[in-house]
Amino acid sequence: MGIPLTWYLTLSAVLFSIGVMGVLFRSNLIIILMSVELMLNAVNITLIAFAQFMGDVSGQILVFFVISVAAAEAAIGLAIVIAIFRNKLTIDVNNIKLFRH
Amino acid sequence: MFPEVFFIVSSVVAVFAALAMLISRSPVQSALWLILVMLCVAGLYVTLSADFIAVVQVLVYAGAIMVLFLFVIMLLNLGAVPQLEKIDFKKGLGFVLLTVILAQLVYITSTTSTALSSKVIENPETGSALKIAEELFTRYLLPFEMIGILLLVATVGAVILAKRTFE
């Protein structure tokens, strides 16, 4: 195993930035949710890399919890998307103005 | 030699697939690209000898969560958008913010990585399901139970949110 820690951290930073780009630039609600999942994945890479380089198992358990919370978040987020689509007939965030006047 | 090549191939594919997810016009295509990203990340976990988490990644992320996304996309009958959004002033500001975040992360990465050991600590048990289960059911038992409650609440909440019609 000769892969340096820096490679993992850099890859994680790049994937996280792509996720941020998706949240900022796209206006489709489902794509925004998928970008959030991508960001969670980038953070998971960091956690696993640190855990293995420290020889500790706690980081992997934290990743296990993050994956569970991501599953719950996806279920709730998609339910909200369905509820919005049923009322507004769109999932474009530029057309959803619940609080804007 | 082989782990380095494997790492480089999977990380290049992951970054390419993430960018393709970002710029594809059809949501179904985006979801399929994201599944490819998840599989590449699972491969990276294998290079870190975190086998159990790699299997969980494939099963839960690529298997369950992405199928849920695809299911909702098909349910809402979303087609491809005719064209991507234009880059206006606000998006340009977002791009500046993004560059700052990436520069910060890379800077922190390059300056602090000397604090840890430069090699993976050779411990064949770390990453096996046995070791994780041992810790999970002793030291992290209470968080584990709370995750169970969280998933129950999320299930109930998703059903209520998807059934209810607002005014």
Side-chain angles (χ1 to χ4, degrees), chain A residues 8-24:
Chain A
Y8 289 105
L9 298 185
T10 311
L11 172 69
S12 166
V14 171
L15 283 182
F16 188 86
S17 304
I18 294 174
V20 174
M21 210 181 333
V23 172
L24 286 178

mmCIF file with all atom_site columns, all heavy atoms in Angstrom, chain A residues 8-24:
data_model
loop_
_atom_site.group_PDB
_atom_site.id
_atom_site.type_symbol
_atom_site.label_atom_id
_atom_site.label_alt_id
_atom_site.label_comp_id
_atom_site.label_asym_id
_atom_site.label_entity_id
_atom_site.label_seq_id
_atom_site.pdbx_PDB_ins_code
_atom_site.Cartn_x
_atom_site.Cartn_y
_atom_site.Cartn_z
_atom_site.occupancy
_atom_site.B_iso_or_equiv
_atom_site.pdbx_formal_charge
_atom_site.auth_seq_id
_atom_site.auth_comp_id
_atom_site.auth_asym_id
_atom_site.auth_atom_id
_atom_site.pdbx_PDB_model_num
ATOM 1   N N   . TYR A 1 8  ? -5.796  10.869 -1.550  1.00 0.00 ? 8  TYR A N   1
ATOM 2   C CA  . TYR A 1 8  ? -7.196  10.672 -1.156  1.00 0.00 ? 8  TYR A CA  1
ATOM 3   C C   . TYR A 1 8  ? -7.848  11.997 -0.794  1.00 0.00 ? 8  TYR A C   1
ATOM 4   O O   . TYR A 1 8  ? -8.980  12.276 -1.179  1.00 0.00 ? 8  TYR A O   1
ATOM 5   C CB  . TYR A 1 8  ? -7.283  9.712  0.029   1.00 0.00 ? 8  TYR A CB  1
ATOM 6   C CG  . TYR A 1 8  ? -6.954  8.288  -0.305  1.00 0.00 ? 8  TYR A CG  1
ATOM 7   C CD1 . TYR A 1 8  ? -5.744  7.733  0.061   1.00 0.00 ? 8  TYR A CD1 1
ATOM 8   C CD2 . TYR A 1 8  ? -7.866  7.506  -0.993  1.00 0.00 ? 8  TYR A CD2 1
ATOM 9   C CE1 . TYR A 1 8  ? -5.444  6.427  -0.251  1.00 0.00 ? 8  TYR A CE1 1
ATOM 10  C CE2 . TYR A 1 8  ? -7.567  6.202  -1.312  1.00 0.00 ? 8  TYR A CE2 1
ATOM 11  C CZ  . TYR A 1 8  ? -6.357  5.665  -0.937  1.00 0.00 ? 8  TYR A CZ  1
ATOM 12  O OH  . TYR A 1 8  ? -6.065  4.387  -1.258  1.00 0.00 ? 8  TYR A OH  1
ATOM 13  N N   . LEU A 1 9  ? -7.099  12.826 -0.041  1.00 0.00 ? 9  LEU A N   1
ATOM 14  C CA  . LEU A 1 9  ? -7.702  14.085 0.411   1.00 0.00 ? 9  LEU A CA  1
ATOM 15  C C   . LEU A 1 9  ? -7.956  15.015 -0.769  1.00 0.00 ? 9  LEU A C   1
ATOM 16  O O   . LEU A 1 9  ? -8.978  15.706 -0.838  1.00 0.00 ? 9  LEU A O   1
ATOM 17  C CB  . LEU A 1 9  ? -6.791  14.759 1.439   1.00 0.00 ? 9  LEU A CB  1
ATOM 18  C CG  . LEU A 1 9  ? -6.566  13.952 2.716   1.00 0.00 ? 9  LEU A CG  1
ATOM 19  C CD1 . LEU A 1 9  ? -5.753  14.756 3.707   1.00 0.00 ? 9  LEU A CD1 1
ATOM 20  C CD2 . LEU A 1 9  ? -7.863  13.539 3.334   1.00 0.00 ? 9  LEU A CD2 1
ATOM 21  N N   . THR A 1 10 ? -7.025  15.028 -1.746  1.00 0.00 ? 10 THR A N   1
ATOM 22  C CA  . THR A 1 10 ? -7.219  15.889 -2.912  1.00 0.00 ? 10 THR A CA  1
ATOM 23  C C   . THR A 1 10 ? -8.412  15.424 -3.745  1.00 0.00 ? 10 THR A C   1
ATOM 24  O O   . THR A 1 10 ? -9.243  16.237 -4.162  1.00 0.00 ? 10 THR A O   1
ATOM 25  C CB  . THR A 1 10 ? -5.945  15.897 -3.769  1.00 0.00 ? 10 THR A CB  1
ATOM 26  O OG1 . THR A 1 10 ? -4.840  16.138 -2.933  1.00 0.00 ? 10 THR A OG1 1
ATOM 27  C CG2 . THR A 1 10 ? -6.034  16.946 -4.832  1.00 0.00 ? 10 THR A CG2 1
ATOM 28  N N   . LEU A 1 11 ? -8.500  14.114 -3.961  1.00 0.00 ? 11 LEU A N   1
ATOM 29  C CA  . LEU A 1 11 ? -9.646  13.588 -4.707  1.00 0.00 ? 11 LEU A CA  1
ATOM 30  C C   . LEU A 1 11 ? -10.941 13.950 -4.006  1.00 0.00 ? 11 LEU A C   1
ATOM 31  O O   . LEU A 1 11 ? -11.926 14.366 -4.635  1.00 0.00 ? 11 LEU A O   1
ATOM 32  C CB  . LEU A 1 11 ? -9.534  12.070 -4.842  1.00 0.00 ? 11 LEU A CB  1
ATOM 33  C CG  . LEU A 1 11 ? -10.779 11.422 -5.434  1.00 0.00 ? 11 LEU A CG  1
ATOM 34  C CD1 . LEU A 1 11 ? -10.916 11.794 -6.891  1.00 0.00 ? 11 LEU A CD1 1
ATOM 35  C CD2 . LEU A 1 11 ? -10.745 9.937  -5.270  1.00 0.00 ? 11 LEU A CD2 1
ATOM 36  N N   . SER A 1 12 ? -10.939 13.823 -2.674  1.00 0.00 ? 12 SER A N   1
ATOM 37  C CA  . SER A 1 12 ? -12.138 14.154 -1.909  1.00 0.00 ? 12 SER A CA  1
ATOM 38  C C   . SER A 1 12 ? -12.496 15.623 -2.064  1.00 0.00 ? 12 SER A C   1
ATOM 39  O O   . SER A 1 12 ? -13.675 15.972 -2.234  1.00 0.00 ? 12 SER A O   1
ATOM 40  C CB  . SER A 1 12 ? -11.895 13.799 -0.457  1.00 0.00 ? 12 SER A CB  1
ATOM 41  O OG  . SER A 1 12 ? -12.863 14.363 0.341   1.00 0.00 ? 12 SER A OG  1
ATOM 42  N N   . ALA A 1 13 ? -11.476 16.515 -2.044  1.00 0.00 ? 13 ALA A N   1
ATOM 43  C CA  . ALA A 1 13 ? -11.745 17.951 -2.215  1.00 0.00 ? 13 ALA A CA  1
ATOM 44  C C   . ALA A 1 13 ? -12.346 18.229 -3.586  1.00 0.00 ? 13 ALA A C   1
ATOM 45  O O   . ALA A 1 13 ? -13.292 19.012 -3.718  1.00 0.00 ? 13 ALA A O   1
ATOM 46  C CB  . ALA A 1 13 ? -10.450 18.743 -2.023  1.00 0.00 ? 13 ALA A CB  1
ATOM 47  N N   . VAL A 1 14 ? -11.814 17.566 -4.625  1.00 0.00 ? 14 VAL A N   1
ATOM 48  C CA  . VAL A 1 14 ? -12.331 17.799 -5.978  1.00 0.00 ? 14 VAL A CA  1
ATOM 49  C C   . VAL A 1 14 ? -13.776 17.330 -6.083  1.00 0.00 ? 14 VAL A C   1
ATOM 50  O O   . VAL A 1 14 ? -14.645 18.051 -6.606  1.00 0.00 ? 14 VAL A O   1
ATOM 51  C CB  . VAL A 1 14 ? -11.429 17.083 -7.003  1.00 0.00 ? 14 VAL A CB  1
ATOM 52  C CG1 . VAL A 1 14 ? -12.063 17.117 -8.373  1.00 0.00 ? 14 VAL A CG1 1
ATOM 53  C CG2 . VAL A 1 14 ? -10.066 17.730 -7.059  1.00 0.00 ? 14 VAL A CG2 1
ATOM 54  N N   . LEU A 1 15 ? -14.076 16.139 -5.548  1.00 0.00 ? 15 LEU A N   1
ATOM 55  C CA  . LEU A 1 15 ? -15.454 15.628 -5.632  1.00 0.00 ? 15 LEU A CA  1
ATOM 56  C C   . LEU A 1 15 ? -16.408 16.524 -4.843  1.00 0.00 ? 15 LEU A C   1
ATOM 57  O O   . LEU A 1 15 ? -17.523 16.806 -5.283  1.00 0.00 ? 15 LEU A O   1
ATOM 58  C CB  . LEU A 1 15 ? -15.523 14.194 -5.101  1.00 0.00 ? 15 LEU A CB  1
ATOM 59  C CG  . LEU A 1 15 ? -15.016 13.100 -6.033  1.00 0.00 ? 15 LEU A CG  1
ATOM 60  C CD1 . LEU A 1 15 ? -15.196 11.752 -5.380  1.00 0.00 ? 15 LEU A CD1 1
ATOM 61  C CD2 . LEU A 1 15 ? -15.732 13.129 -7.351  1.00 0.00 ? 15 LEU A CD2 1
ATOM 62  N N   . PHE A 1 16 ? -15.947 16.999 -3.674  1.00 0.00 ? 16 PHE A N   1
ATOM 63  C CA  . PHE A 1 16 ? -16.792 17.884 -2.868  1.00 0.00 ? 16 PHE A CA  1
ATOM 64  C C   . PHE A 1 16 ? -17.097 19.164 -3.629  1.00 0.00 ? 16 PHE A C   1
ATOM 65  O O   . PHE A 1 16 ? -18.235 19.647 -3.643  1.00 0.00 ? 16 PHE A O   1
ATOM 66  C CB  . PHE A 1 16 ? -16.077 18.198 -1.556  1.00 0.00 ? 16 PHE A CB  1
ATOM 67  C CG  . PHE A 1 16 ? -16.927 18.935 -0.561  1.00 0.00 ? 16 PHE A CG  1
ATOM 68  C CD1 . PHE A 1 16 ? -17.757 18.244 0.286   1.00 0.00 ? 16 PHE A CD1 1
ATOM 69  C CD2 . PHE A 1 16 ? -16.892 20.312 -0.498  1.00 0.00 ? 16 PHE A CD2 1
ATOM 70  C CE1 . PHE A 1 16 ? -18.548 18.916 1.191   1.00 0.00 ? 16 PHE A CE1 1
ATOM 71  C CE2 . PHE A 1 16 ? -17.676 20.989 0.411   1.00 0.00 ? 16 PHE A CE2 1
ATOM 72  C CZ  . PHE A 1 16 ? -18.501 20.287 1.253   1.00 0.00 ? 16 PHE A CZ  1
ATOM 73  N N   . SER A 1 17 ? -16.071 19.708 -4.330  1.00 0.00 ? 17 SER A N   1
ATOM 74  C CA  . SER A 1 17 ? -16.288 20.952 -5.080  1.00 0.00 ? 17 SER A CA  1
ATOM 75  C C   . SER A 1 17 ? -17.261 20.727 -6.230  1.00 0.00 ? 17 SER A C   1
ATOM 76  O O   . SER A 1 17 ? -18.080 21.604 -6.530  1.00 0.00 ? 17 SER A O   1
ATOM 77  C CB  . SER A 1 17 ? -14.971 21.480 -5.608  1.00 0.00 ? 17 SER A CB  1
ATOM 78  O OG  . SER A 1 17 ? -14.078 21.655 -4.564  1.00 0.00 ? 17 SER A OG  1
ATOM 79  N N   . ILE A 1 18 ? -17.181 19.558 -6.875  1.00 0.00 ? 18 ILE A N   1
ATOM 80  C CA  . ILE A 1 18 ? -18.137 19.278 -7.944  1.00 0.00 ? 18 ILE A CA  1
ATOM 81  C C   . ILE A 1 18 ? -19.557 19.220 -7.373  1.00 0.00 ? 18 ILE A C   1
ATOM 82  O O   . ILE A 1 18 ? -20.510 19.709 -7.985  1.00 0.00 ? 18 ILE A O   1
ATOM 83  C CB  . ILE A 1 18 ? -17.765 17.971 -8.669  1.00 0.00 ? 18 ILE A CB  1
ATOM 84  C CG1 . ILE A 1 18 ? -16.439 18.154 -9.408  1.00 0.00 ? 18 ILE A CG1 1
ATOM 85  C CG2 . ILE A 1 18 ? -18.830 17.579 -9.660  1.00 0.00 ? 18 ILE A CG2 1
ATOM 86  C CD1 . ILE A 1 18 ? -15.909 16.895 -10.023 1.00 0.00 ? 18 ILE A CD1 1
ATOM 87  N N   . GLY A 1 19 ? -19.684 18.659 -6.169  1.00 0.00 ? 19 GLY A N   1
ATOM 88  C CA  . GLY A 1 19 ? -20.992 18.627 -5.516  1.00 0.00 ? 19 GLY A CA  1
ATOM 89  C C   . GLY A 1 19 ? -21.505 20.022 -5.214  1.00 0.00 ? 19 GLY A C   1
ATOM 90  O O   . GLY A 1 19 ? -22.684 20.320 -5.438  1.00 0.00 ? 19 GLY A O   1
ATOM 91  N N   . VAL A 1 20 ? -20.602 20.895 -4.711  1.00 0.00 ? 20 VAL A N   1
ATOM 92  C CA  . VAL A 1 20 ? -21.005 22.285 -4.436  1.00 0.00 ? 20 VAL A CA  1
ATOM 93  C C   . VAL A 1 20 ? -21.452 22.954 -5.729  1.00 0.00 ? 20 VAL A C   1
ATOM 94  O O   . VAL A 1 20 ? -22.449 23.685 -5.762  1.00 0.00 ? 20 VAL A O   1
ATOM 95  C CB  . VAL A 1 20 ? -19.835 23.061 -3.790  1.00 0.00 ? 20 VAL A CB  1
ATOM 96  C CG1 . VAL A 1 20 ? -20.194 24.516 -3.643  1.00 0.00 ? 20 VAL A CG1 1
ATOM 97  C CG2 . VAL A 1 20 ? -19.499 22.484 -2.448  1.00 0.00 ? 20 VAL A CG2 1
ATOM 98  N N   . MET A 1 21 ? -20.717 22.669 -6.817  1.00 0.00 ? 21 MET A N   1
ATOM 99  C CA  . MET A 1 21 ? -21.075 23.256 -8.110  1.00 0.00 ? 21 MET A CA  1
ATOM 100 C C   . MET A 1 21 ? -22.478 22.832 -8.517  1.00 0.00 ? 21 MET A C   1
ATOM 101 O O   . MET A 1 21 ? -23.262 23.638 -9.005  1.00 0.00 ? 21 MET A O   1
ATOM 102 C CB  . MET A 1 21 ? -20.050 22.802 -9.145  1.00 0.00 ? 21 MET A CB  1
ATOM 103 C CG  . MET A 1 21 ? -19.854 23.798 -10.235 1.00 0.00 ? 21 MET A CG  1
ATOM 104 S SD  . MET A 1 21 ? -18.706 23.376 -11.534 1.00 0.00 ? 21 MET A SD  1
ATOM 105 C CE  . MET A 1 21 ? -17.536 22.288 -10.912 1.00 0.00 ? 21 MET A CE  1
ATOM 106 N N   . GLY A 1 22 ? -22.798 21.550 -8.308  1.00 0.00 ? 22 GLY A N   1
ATOM 107 C CA  . GLY A 1 22 ? -24.136 21.079 -8.653  1.00 0.00 ? 22 GLY A CA  1
ATOM 108 C C   . GLY A 1 22 ? -25.215 21.790 -7.859  1.00 0.00 ? 22 GLY A C   1
ATOM 109 O O   . GLY A 1 22 ? -26.243 22.174 -8.407  1.00 0.00 ? 22 GLY A O   1
ATOM 110 N N   . VAL A 1 23 ? -24.974 21.997 -6.551  1.00 0.00 ? 23 VAL A N   1
ATOM 111 C CA  . VAL A 1 23 ? -25.981 22.663 -5.726  1.00 0.00 ? 23 VAL A CA  1
ATOM 112 C C   . VAL A 1 23 ? -26.139 24.112 -6.159  1.00 0.00 ? 23 VAL A C   1
ATOM 113 O O   . VAL A 1 23 ? -27.249 24.651 -6.198  1.00 0.00 ? 23 VAL A O   1
ATOM 114 C CB  . VAL A 1 23 ? -25.596 22.577 -4.239  1.00 0.00 ? 23 VAL A CB  1
ATOM 115 C CG1 . VAL A 1 23 ? -26.520 23.423 -3.399  1.00 0.00 ? 23 VAL A CG1 1
ATOM 116 C CG2 . VAL A 1 23 ? -25.651 21.150 -3.761  1.00 0.00 ? 23 VAL A CG2 1
ATOM 117 N N   . LEU A 1 24 ? -25.025 24.766 -6.516  1.00 0.00 ? 24 LEU A N   1
ATOM 118 C CA  . LEU A 1 24 ? -25.108 26.192 -6.832  1.00 0.00 ? 24 LEU A CA  1
ATOM 119 C C   . LEU A 1 24 ? -25.657 26.438 -8.227  1.00 0.00 ? 24 LEU A C   1
ATOM 120 O O   . LEU A 1 24 ? -26.384 27.417 -8.442  1.00 0.00 ? 24 LEU A O   1
ATOM 121 C CB  . LEU A 1 24 ? -23.719 26.827 -6.727  1.00 0.00 ? 24 LEU A CB  1
ATOM 122 C CG  . LEU A 1 24 ? -23.162 27.041 -5.336  1.00 0.00 ? 24 LEU A CG  1
ATOM 123 C CD1 . LEU A 1 24 ? -21.777 27.635 -5.422  1.00 0.00 ? 24 LEU A CD1 1
ATOM 124 C CD2 . LEU A 1 24 ? -24.047 27.959 -4.527  1.00 0.00 ? 24 LEU A CD2 1
#
